[in-house]
Amino acid sequence: MRNAWYVAGWSVDLEDSKPFHIDILEEPIVLYRSDSGRLVALEDRCVHRHAALSLGRCEGENLRCMYHGIKFAPDGKAIEIPGQDMIPGKAKVKSYPAIEKHSWMWVWMGDPKKADEELIPPAVGMDHPDFLLGHGTLNYEAEARLINDNLLDFSHLPYIHKESFGSSEEFAQKPPLITPLERGVRFSRWQTNLTGAPDGNDTGEMIDVWSTYDYLIPGILLMESAGFPAGTTEAFNHDCPDMDKSICNRNFTSQAVTPTTKKGTRYFFNWGPYRKHGGAEMRDAMMGIGEMAFGEDKRMIEAQQKIIDSTEKPVVMAITNDRGVVMYNRLINKFIDQEQSET
């Protein structure tokens, strides 16, 4: 799917006056922040001899190729070619709509006329006043679809993440409530009578944990969890609780899956507690658990990719816990069909 905002990186990773490279959907892209603070995204390929513009030099609002000195404006047009006065009309590289929001750099990969900032998923960034978040990045040697499928089906938690999250096998026996959204799928569930919350915070008392997450196009997970005194599940009739009254713990994670190549993906994640329920020590402990868990996923998914690649005609057998996976993939396919019919 192309008409969507993809995460290109963390805003903190973009140094002033220094270009940044990433491949998205097999397209090489260079990002830079101009002197005015504008985020610019261009094709990372000079029109002259295909040199990498990410090896170039930022000059005010513009970017100069440091192979033969051609300078490009934020719209991708060449505005200076050393040694000649005339600049051909074809001396232009592709430009992409780009925005910094929620501590991420977002790039629109489709029709620029359809790049609506309102379609950026409502992630929670490191500057959010209510949450104290750590962040990280992983590079996968696997296609993005496998990572999306993994995040759309948490029934793997008791098996892959036995050593990190420590979920019981009962977790996989009780599917979550799944609700279709216009641009994604929502998952919600209660876990009752736990002695420790999924964030690793053991309160020493029995608690109920409510968690809900939206999985949004083109691969964005936004999840909030909260611990309550045991019995809260019944008090709210197994429905959504009042999150402002969580007295045990509360946390949030934003995660993004960005396809770089056909068999390569960059995975961005943050996680941390509600400021009223924990500080930097809890955040760092949670990030330690999260990094361990994401490493467990990465090991399994990259092995899965190798098996798929070595299988002549791989066929997936769907099971009950794949309901959310199927719903999301059907939604993605619907948008892709729509894009193709329009073009």
Side-chain angles (χ1 to χ4, degrees), residues 103-125:
S103 301
W104 274 330
M105 298 181 287
W106 302 82
V107 176
W108 181 270
M109 296 300 296
D111 183 351
K113 296 178 182 179
K114 296 183 178 182
D116 183 355
E117 185 176 348
E118 294 298 315
L119 294 179
I120 294 179
V124 171

Side-chain angles (χ1 to χ4, degrees), residues 232-252:
T232 303
T233 303
E234 295 294 334
F236 282 96
N237 196 28
H238 295 262
D239 205 347
C240 178
D242 183 347
M243 296 294 277
D244 292 329
K245 294 183 178 180
S246 169
I247 62 171
C248 295
N249 56 71
R250 183 178 175 189
N251 63 84
F252 200 98

Side-chain angles (χ1 to χ4, degrees), residues 175-179 186-189 210 239 323:
L177 173 66
I178 302 177
T179 308
R186 175 169 295 163
F187 302 78
S188 304
R189 73 165 77 224
W210 166 260
D239 205 347
R323 181 170 173 241

Side-chain angles (χ1 to χ4, degrees), residues 43-215:
E43 177 184 5
D44 194 6
R45 182 188 292 112
C46 183
V47 295
H48 178 214
R49 292 188 187 171
H50 305 283
L53 295 179
S54 54
L55 298 178
R57 182 175 67 203
C58 297
E59 297 184 2
E61 300 299 300
N62 310 309
L63 181 64
R64 187 181 296 277
C65 177
M66 291 304 287
Y67 193 14
H68 295 95
I70 299 176
K71 183 160 69 173
F72 296 88
D75 63 0
K77 292 182 180 179
I79 56 175
E80 181 183 321
I81 300 178
Q84 68 182 65
D85 296 327
M86 188 204 58
I87 300 176
K90 64 181 180 180
K92 180 180 180 180
V93 297
K94 184 177 180 179
S95 64
Y96 302 81
I99 295 175
E100 290 186 81
K101 197 171 186 178
H102 311 312
S103 301
W104 274 330
M105 298 181 287
W106 302 82
V107 176
W108 181 270
M109 296 300 296
D111 183 351
K113 296 178 182 179
K114 296 183 178 182
D116 183 355
E117 185 176 348
E118 294 298 315
L119 294 179
I120 294 179
V124 171
M126 271 81 75
D127 57 350
H128 196 283
D130 294 337
F131 293 93
L132 186 62
L133 306 173
H135 72 285
T137 305
L138 285 175
N139 290 310
Y140 273 77
E141 293 183 8
E143 58 181 297
R145 178 180 61 87
L146 300 181
I147 305 167
N148 288 333
D149 290 353
N150 171 270
L151 295 172
L152 286 156
D153 173 17
F154 277 8
S155 67
H156 69 273
L157 262 62
Y159 308 102
I160 294 180
H161 303 310
K162 184 78 173 176
E163 300 301 321
S164 52
F165 292 137
S167 299
S168 70
E169 295 190 12
E170 181 183 5
F171 182 90
Q173 300 295 334
K174 296 180 179 179
L177 173 66
I178 302 177
T179 308
L181 303 174
E182 183 179 0
R183 293 178 69 84
V185 183
R186 175 169 295 163
F187 302 78
S188 304
R189 73 165 77 224
W190 278 102
Q191 298 177 75
T192 59
N193 297 320
L194 300 181
T195 56
D199 61 5
N201 179 36
D202 191 345
T203 64
E205 300 178 0
M206 300 295 285
I207 63 172
D208 291 353
V209 173
W210 166 260
S211 60
T212 182
Y213 72 95
D214 292 350
Y215 206 80

